[in-house]
Amino acid sequence: MNIKGVTVKGNLIDYETRCIHYHSPLDVIAIKFKCCEVYYPCYKCHNENTDHAIQVWEVHEFQEKAILCGMCGLEMTIHDYLQHGEKCQRCRTAFNPGCRLHRHIYFQE
């Protein structure tokens, strides 16, 4: 699905990056997975739609743009997302604070 000019794969249910797994009003980000350089709304979508393991972004790669705001289409660096992950830096849309529980799946700690 094309979200604000960026292709997002997975089990999406709308054009704001919500998926069948996470679809609250705050679930409006997608993550570019290091292993395949593809945006997915969540790790479950990645795992259901690929045949490879997730690779974690390492600290020295945190300047990569790998977070997509589903509301305005801003691609953020991992560093910016981790520093200001509660909302989009451009449109100020709030993100799901529960995403913190899954950070270890995506990013080296």
Side-chain angles (χ1 to χ4, degrees):
M1 185 178 291
N2 190 298
I3 310 287
K4 314 288 190 274
V6 178
T7 299
V8 179
K9 295 185 177 182
N11 306 313
L12 289 117
I13 61 170
D14 68 18
Y15 285 94
E16 295 173 347
T17 72
R18 290 179 194 90
C19 68
I20 62 172
H21 308 105
Y22 300 101
H23 46 270
S24 80
L26 300 177
D27 291 311
V28 291
I29 66 166
I31 299 143
K32 184 188 295 181
F33 283 77
K34 177 182 173 177
C35 46
C36 52
E37 295 284 318
V38 173
Y39 276 103
Y40 286 94
C42 73
Y43 72 95
K44 293 178 182 180
C45 282
H46 174 275
N47 290 344
E48 290 174 2
N49 290 279
T50 66
D51 61 357
H52 59 267
I54 294 171
Q55 291 179 356
V56 175
W57 288 99
E58 297 179 20
V59 173
H60 71 274
E61 299 171 308
F62 282 9
Q63 291 305 313
E64 294 288 328
K65 289 186 177 182
I67 308 297
L68 176 71
C69 174
M71 297 303 289
C72 73
L74 177 67
E75 287 186 272
M76 294 174 271
T77 68
I78 297 164
H79 173 76
D80 287 343
Y81 172 71
L82 294 176
Q83 292 294 106
H84 311 285
E86 66 278 354
K87 60 185 150 187
C88 177
Q89 295 170 324
R90 180 192 291 158
C91 71
R92 312 306 283 171
T93 296
F95 297 146
N96 189 335
C99 291
R100 290 185 195 122
L101 300 173
H102 303 138
R103 284 186 180 176
H104 67 282
I105 295 171
Y106 311 112
F107 314 117
Q108 184 180 43
E109 296 185 328

